[in-house]
Amino acid sequence: MNIAEMVDKRLISFDLDAGNKEEVFKSLAKMMYEAGKVTSEEEYMKGLYEREREGCTGMGNGIAMPHCKSDCVKAAAFTLVKLKHPIEWESYDDQPVDYIIMLAAPNTSDNIHLKMLSALAVNLMDDDFRNGLKDATDFGQIIHIFKNKKEEE
């Protein structure tokens, strides 16, 4: 899976002002809706909350990867969002989160959400990739980081 081809400028934000997880979900669900990736902000958010109840999506290193697989998702997509201020997220390392990669996957049998999660998680283990994403200030830098990432074997 080439996740670099999935990067969508409409789903990137470098300074989102959100005070908690609910505000993040609302803002990012709106981004997904406006980009045409989901048919309903409310249904998408419902799926996100259902997934959050299953377990922690805070990956550590200040990054959270909330996600859901839902009938309201028209096309697999993910956000890349840097928060203006870190927020509490119930992360594995008990540290606040300042970067959100939120995934949306259609409710299909191909398990695209697992492929996206895997591809992103592998790359996020690389310090240069992770720090590059968190330090990026424009779309060009994001594209450069993804195009130069290590391809999953």
Side-chain angles (χ1 to χ4, degrees):
M1 161 172 278
N2 187 344
I3 56 174
E5 293 175 359
M6 296 179 70
V7 176
D8 185 330
K9 190 174 191 172
R10 299 170 296 177
L11 299 175
I12 297 174
S13 175
F14 297 101
D15 201 25
L16 181 70
D17 193 8
N20 56 46
K21 192 184 292 189
E22 181 178 358
E23 290 177 12
V24 168
F25 280 5
K26 284 181 181 177
S27 294
L28 275 55
K30 182 176 182 179
M31 286 172 70
M32 287 283 191
Y33 179 78
E34 290 177 350
K37 303 298 183 180
V38 301
T39 59
S40 167
E41 292 175 52
E42 295 78 18
E43 283 299 309
Y44 180 60
M45 284 182 53
K46 181 180 172 187
L48 291 169
Y49 280 113
E50 287 173 6
R51 172 55 188 88
E52 286 294 306
R53 284 191 290 277
E54 292 175 17
C56 179
T57 58
M59 308 295 292
N61 294 307
I63 297 174
M65 283 191 10
H67 52 280
C68 85
K69 181 177 174 178
S70 173
D71 291 331
C72 76
V73 178
K74 297 191 314 190
F78 60 89
T79 66
L80 298 167
V81 175
K82 185 175 188 174
L83 300 177
K84 193 172 194 170
H85 308 284
I87 62 170
E88 176 55 42
W89 199 278
E90 302 162 7
S91 298
Y92 287 113
D93 62 1
D94 292 322
Q95 297 300 307
V97 164
D98 61 358
Y99 203 89
I100 313 293
I101 303 172
M102 183 180 283
L103 285 65
N107 193 13
T108 56
S109 61
D110 64 0
N111 288 321
I112 188 77
H113 69 294
L114 296 178
K115 293 172 187 171
M116 287 190 310
L117 275 170
S118 174
L120 288 163
V122 164
N123 285 293
L124 287 169
M125 287 189 280
D126 178 88
D127 291 340
D128 291 334
F129 180 87
R130 182 180 61 251
N131 292 333
L133 274 186
K134 292 181 81 174
D135 293 340
T137 57
D138 65 49
F139 180 68
Q141 290 173 324
I142 295 285
I143 291 298
H144 179 77
I145 291 161
F146 272 89
K147 287 187 176 178
N148 291 308
K149 69 177 177 43
K150 296 176 185 172
E151 289 295 328
E152 188 175 3
E153 310 242 349

